[in-house]
Amino acid sequence: MDELLEEFEVEMQQQYMGMEGIDLDGISDSDDSGDSSESDEDEDPRPPPPQYPEAIVDAVLAYLPPMPSASLIAERPLVQLIPCARRAVWTALPHEAIKEIFRHLPISDLLAVGTVLDDAGWYQRWRDVDLTLHDRQIRHGSYKDIGHYIHLHGGVVRSLRVDKIFHSRKSSQLVPAATYARGDGSN
Amino acid sequence: MAAPESGDGNNGAARMVTLISSDNTRFEVEAAAASLSQTLQLTILDGGGGGGDGIPLPNVDSATLSKVLEYCIKHAPAAANGGAPNATAVDRAELERFDNEFVNIDQSVLYSLIMAAHNLEIEGLQSLVAKKVADMIKGKSPMEIRRTLGFPDPTPEEQAEMNAHMLEYGWAYE
């Protein structure tokens, strides 16, 4: 250990001597009589301490999710740079994921969303398969809404399957969840 | 508490499996938690992922995988009980609170989670993140939805088409 320290000191001294011996063209001549204290400060022989740009570290830390449970902490380095692009490209969502999102939207919102998502290709992709409306969607709509909705988007009712029946709060009317298949648009 | 695995010789100790993210970070988790993924379930049942081996997940980066596993670890006990028939109201409330906080995240992370949940086929997580996106959309006007999801503003032609659509089907938005 001592040997290592000695070696390190010798190396530092050599570096220091080497820097003193540097011929600074055009500067050394005039500096001889100038303010030596200032030039001594400029020529600090010590290597600069490692600089970690705060902005980058902060960005990386902000980018990482909160640390998970204890069993995972040991496996994760404190800070790591992740090379992949993590931008939300909603238009690239897989079809199943889009369907899952639509399942959580009431009919009224599906109608509103349709025009926007059509541009992104979501809507078309959803229409290309059998359309399943779940009870949680129908709960927010009426038969009239659903009928309009299907007709509006070129569908006809091919089949009706009751998944679940429940009583609505106001009228105790039976409201089934239904499965429709997209038709050819000819009503 | 995850049920002890039989057949691996560890009396009472839960079986652990190793998952390897796309950036080669290794995660060791209980098999019961990892088995929430339909994709991983068969591999784990076949004895994969244990010992020095790991199950590589080339489509999921470490940041996303850690988040996914956080979800799996939290939900594994309830899933082991076959849903949550035995869970107390407190347990259910705790899970619900966890879920609400879990999806309170940046859009890019949410997007990564959707993709990961889809790739790994984790049904509960798929539904949770999809519901979050639906909540982001719900009740918004078409223009607000565009801005929320970061779609570019419509071209004049698209705008005209939208206006025509609203004229014809405006009733549906009321």
Side-chain angles (χ1 to χ4, degrees):
Chain A
M1 191 67 178
D2 289 340
E3 282 174 13
L4 277 174
L5 279 171
E6 261 177 47
E7 271 179 35
F8 179 70
E9 275 179 20
V10 170
E11 198 177 309
M12 291 300 290
Q13 277 175 356
Q14 281 172 349
Q15 278 185 7
Y16 183 71
M17 298 297 284
M19 285 187 78
E20 276 193 337
I22 290 172
D23 181 24
L24 302 170
D25 290 334
I27 299 175
S28 55
D29 292 345
S30 58
D31 276 354
D32 287 342
S33 58
D35 43 2
S36 59
S37 61
E38 218 177 278
S39 62
D40 280 350
E41 278 177 15
D42 290 345
E43 293 175 12
D44 191 345
R46 289 173 299 178
Q51 296 288 319
Y52 301 107
E54 266 182 43
I56 291 180
V57 173
D58 286 347
V60 170
L61 287 173
Y63 176 78
L64 290 173
M67 293 297 274
S69 59
S71 62
L72 301 178
I73 290 173
E75 294 293 326
R76 291 187 61 202
L78 186 60
V79 173
Q80 61 182 136
L81 291 167
I82 295 151
C84 59
R86 284 162 56 90
R87 200 166 60 82
V89 189
W90 295 107
T91 50
L93 277 183
H95 185 257
E96 287 302 317
I98 295 169
K99 270 178 74 179
E100 189 64 38
I101 290 169
F102 281 164
R103 277 185 58 200
H104 293 277
L105 285 171
I107 293 284
S108 54
D109 280 307
L110 282 174
L111 290 166
V113 162
T115 52
V116 178
L117 299 189
D118 229 358
D119 299 338
W122 275 21
Y123 208 59
Q124 187 56 49
R125 282 152 69 194
W126 189 49
R127 282 176 56 191
D128 286 344
V129 296
D130 282 357
L131 170 65
T132 303
L133 299 173
H134 297 263
D135 61 311
R136 79 184 74 168
Q137 294 173 321
I138 292 175
R139 193 172 288 151
H140 296 277
S142 65
Y143 275 117
K144 187 182 164 198
D145 288 335
I146 296 161
H148 277 302
Y149 174 73
I150 300 291
H151 178 67
L152 187 64
H153 296 287
V156 290
V157 176
R158 277 212 203 118
S159 62
L160 174 66
R161 179 167 61 89
V162 175
D163 287 323
K164 187 180 176 184
I165 293 177
F166 61 92
H167 295 276
S168 68
R169 266 186 308 180
K170 279 185 180 172
S171 62
S172 299
Q173 192 180 9
L174 293 178
V175 183
T179 301
Y180 296 94
R182 182 179 172 244
D184 56 5
S186 57
N187 221 357
Chain B
M1 192 70 182
E5 293 287 320
S6 58
D8 59 359
N10 297 332
N11 287 338
R15 184 185 155 201
M16 304 298 282
V17 292
T18 305
L19 307 177
I20 307 169
S21 66
S22 61
D23 44 356
N24 282 324
T25 307
R26 300 172 77 89
F27 294 85
E28 197 179 9
V29 287
E30 287 186 11
S35 293
L36 254 61
S37 158
Q38 299 292 317
T39 311
L40 297 176
Q41 201 173 49
L42 280 179
T43 312
I44 292 168
L45 282 175
D46 285 345
D53 299 335
I55 303 173
L57 302 172
N59 294 327
V60 188
D61 64 59
S62 61
T64 308
L65 186 55
S66 71
K67 191 88 180 140
V68 168
L69 292 179
E70 189 187 339
Y71 173 89
C72 291
I73 288 166
K74 189 75 182 176
H75 280 261
N81 290 336
N86 301 328
T88 63
V90 176
D91 290 340
R92 281 195 295 270
E94 163 64 16
L95 267 186
E96 200 173 318
R97 189 191 60 77
F98 169 84
D99 284 352
N100 287 337
E101 283 177 15
F102 184 79
V103 289
N104 193 14
I105 45 176
D106 181 66
Q107 262 199 35
S108 61
V109 183
L110 184 66
Y111 177 79
S112 302
L113 272 180
I114 292 177
M115 297 301 275
H118 181 71
N119 284 326
L120 296 171
E121 291 180 68
I122 304 170
E123 201 177 317
L125 183 57
Q126 279 178 308
S127 179
L128 179 65
V129 288
K131 185 174 182 305
K132 172 69 179 178
V133 178
D135 288 343
M136 285 160 51
I137 292 173
K138 216 175 271 182
K140 286 194 164 73
S141 70
M143 196 55 96
E144 284 170 331
I145 294 168
R146 275 177 177 278
R147 287 185 185 137
T148 303
L149 297 182
F151 293 159
D153 281 346
T155 61
E157 292 80 25
E158 285 169 343
Q159 186 62 57
E161 198 177 317
M162 280 167 66
N163 291 343
H165 177 87
M166 288 298 282
L167 270 178
E168 192 172 357
Y169 301 112
W171 57 267
Y173 299 88
E174 289 162 6

